[in-house]
Amino acid sequence: MKLILSSLCFLLIAGFLFAQGNEVQEQKENMFIEVNSKNEQVLKTADELSERLKEWNYWHLVSAPEQSDLQMRVHIEASKGITATSWGGTSYALSAKIIDQKGEVLWESTTYKASPNGMNGFNAGKAVVKKLMRDLKKKYPQK
């Protein structure tokens, strides 16, 4: 009886370990980032967003919408001048939507705003990207 129980336990443990070792990696979804602007400063901020998304490695970024499972539609506004929080430079407002292939909005951000100041290293574009990434990581925990 002991031999049967010990053999059964061994087989259960071996099966469990085998299942853990051969776990299939989940395929990442392809993401296309859409930015509808030709403004040089906006495009630099969009490039910053792409770099942060690549570092995070949650989605696989693709270069064409036809290759994507999801699209991130990014709206970035850049404005120059004196604001209540800065004395010049370029201020940014950024918002994003994640949309599936059917056109359904899966997630929509708030509008993140930043003006150049000492707290963000006088790089407001990078500051709005950091705010968006913080909320994305809360919404989509690492797989």
Side-chain angles (χ1 to χ4, degrees):
M1 182 68 169
K2 286 183 181 180
L3 181 60
I4 293 172
L5 282 175
S6 62
S7 297
L8 184 60
C9 287
F10 174 78
L11 288 174
L12 286 173
I13 291 170
F16 176 76
L17 293 175
F18 180 78
Q20 292 294 320
N22 290 331
E23 193 173 291
V24 177
Q25 288 266 340
E26 213 175 290
Q27 183 69 24
K28 290 183 186 177
E29 291 179 294
N30 292 330
M31 170 79 74
F32 174 73
I33 300 174
E34 178 185 319
V35 179
N36 292 330
S37 178
K38 302 294 182 205
N39 180 302
E40 185 178 327
Q41 293 170 319
V42 167
L43 294 176
K44 283 182 184 178
T45 302
D47 289 342
E48 176 72 22
L49 175 60
S50 293
E51 289 302 313
R52 296 297 78 78
L53 287 168
K54 285 177 188 174
E55 286 175 8
W56 184 33
N57 201 26
Y58 189 86
W59 293 290
H60 179 257
L61 299 184
V62 295
S63 58
E66 302 83 37
Q67 302 169 335
S68 69
D69 302 312
L70 302 170
Q71 288 188 14
M72 180 181 286
R73 292 192 184 146
V74 180
H75 180 74
I76 304 170
E77 291 182 20
S79 60
K80 289 190 173 251
I82 297 173
T83 66
T85 57
S86 78
W87 294 334
T90 303
S91 298
Y92 292 88
L94 179 148
S95 62
K97 292 181 184 180
I98 296 177
I99 301 168
D100 66 10
Q101 290 178 328
K102 298 174 190 173
E104 184 178 325
V105 176
L106 303 176
W107 180 78
E108 185 172 356
S109 74
T110 60
T111 299
Y112 308 99
K113 296 179 181 181
S115 297
N117 59 46
M119 295 298 289
N120 60 31
F122 298 97
N123 189 339
K126 194 172 188 173
V128 292
V129 169
K130 283 176 75 173
K131 291 176 182 182
L132 173 66
M133 290 301 300
R134 180 188 61 226
D135 284 351
L136 276 173
K137 289 177 181 180
K138 285 179 187 175
K139 174 67 179 170
Y140 297 98
Q142 203 64 10
K143 295 177 186 177

